[in-house]
Amino acid sequence: MTDSQSTSDPKVSSPLDTAADGASDFAEVTEVELEPQDAAQDTDERISELQRELTTERDKFLRLAAEFDNFRKRMMKERSEAEVRGQADLVRQLLDPLDDISRFADLDPAVTECATVVQGVDMVEKKLDKQLRAAGLEPLNPVEEKFDPALHEAVATEPAKNADLDGTVSQVYQVGYTFKGQLLRPARVVVRQHSGSR
């Protein structure tokens, strides 16, 4: 084989061609080997970023939980203080009648007439009733009204003279009370029953 044949034949490669092919093969292998490292580095960076986000969100949650706990405690304290203020306002309204009762308790029975004591007690009762009504207390004294099991407690029955009086209250043994619409104590009553309603 001559020199001209060796250079013109495409199947025959020179040492330079072989070296160039080897270099390109090495570059491809290097790129293939670097790709998993890049992917691992990207994954590590993504994990770090997610950990930072998780830490940030956890801090936000802890701050929010602490704020809610402080808000709950503040509301409980304010509610307790409001209850105390409301009770104090009611007690303040009862001080004058209480002073009157104290004055009557100090009277000398040897020189005080019974009529004076009765008038004094009546005066104190009216003053106390006025103060309690102003605070929201309402008495339940349902004589001649229709019996209401939500507000009245029947302790006895008696015959009704006619059907129109059936289920009405004839007597009140004990007055009931509501406070601002809330039942404190039902009125204890006697209820009429007509014989034809049984």
Side-chain angles (χ1 to χ4, degrees):
M1 175 167 51
T2 63
D3 290 339
S4 61
Q5 287 178 334
S6 63
T7 55
S8 63
D9 189 355
K11 294 181 183 178
V12 178
S13 59
S14 68
L16 291 175
D17 293 335
T18 304
D21 290 341
S24 65
D25 290 343
F26 176 78
E28 288 175 6
V29 170
T30 305
E31 287 176 6
V32 170
E33 288 177 355
L34 288 178
E35 284 179 5
Q37 290 177 353
D38 291 344
Q41 186 177 3
D42 288 345
T43 303
D44 289 344
E45 288 176 3
R46 183 66 180 141
I47 289 172
S48 298
E49 181 183 343
L50 290 173
Q51 285 176 337
R52 284 192 298 273
E53 289 178 8
L54 179 63
T55 302
T56 302
E57 293 302 320
R58 183 171 40 232
D59 290 344
K60 286 181 184 176
F61 171 77
L62 292 175
R63 279 195 300 273
L64 185 62
E67 288 174 7
F68 176 76
D69 190 50
N70 291 338
F71 171 78
R72 184 181 57 80
K73 289 176 181 175
R74 188 169 59 252
M75 288 297 102
M76 289 174 62
K77 182 181 177 185
E78 288 177 4
R79 183 184 305 138
S80 177
E81 290 172 352
E83 288 175 3
V84 170
R85 283 193 302 273
Q87 291 170 351
D89 288 342
L90 180 59
V91 170
R92 190 177 299 112
Q93 294 176 18
L94 300 179
L95 292 179
D96 284 345
L98 186 61
D99 290 340
D100 293 339
I101 291 171
S102 295
R103 281 191 279 276
F104 282 104
D106 293 337
L107 291 176
D108 185 358
V111 295
T112 305
E113 295 181 8
C114 291
T116 303
V117 174
V118 171
Q119 288 173 358
V121 170
D122 184 56
M123 181 191 72
V124 171
E125 181 188 19
K126 286 178 181 175
K127 186 182 281 188
L128 186 59
D129 182 65
K130 181 181 177 183
Q131 298 290 358
L132 290 174
R133 282 177 183 264
L137 188 71
E138 290 292 334
L140 296 173
N141 192 8
V143 175
E144 302 303 326
E145 294 179 10
K146 201 75 173 165
F147 175 75
D148 183 352
L151 299 173
H152 312 145
E153 178 185 345
V155 295
T157 60
E158 67 178 31
K161 293 180 181 177
N162 57 58
D164 291 341
L165 295 175
D166 184 53
T168 59
V169 174
S170 63
Q171 298 177 53
V172 176
Y173 280 157
Q174 186 180 53
V175 173
Y177 290 97
T178 61
F179 184 74
K180 295 184 177 179
Q182 180 181 354
L183 182 67
L184 297 182
R185 184 178 76 189
R188 303 184 74 200
V189 300
V190 177
V191 183
R192 296 185 184 101
Q193 280 190 337
H194 190 256
S195 59
S197 64
R198 292 178 184 171

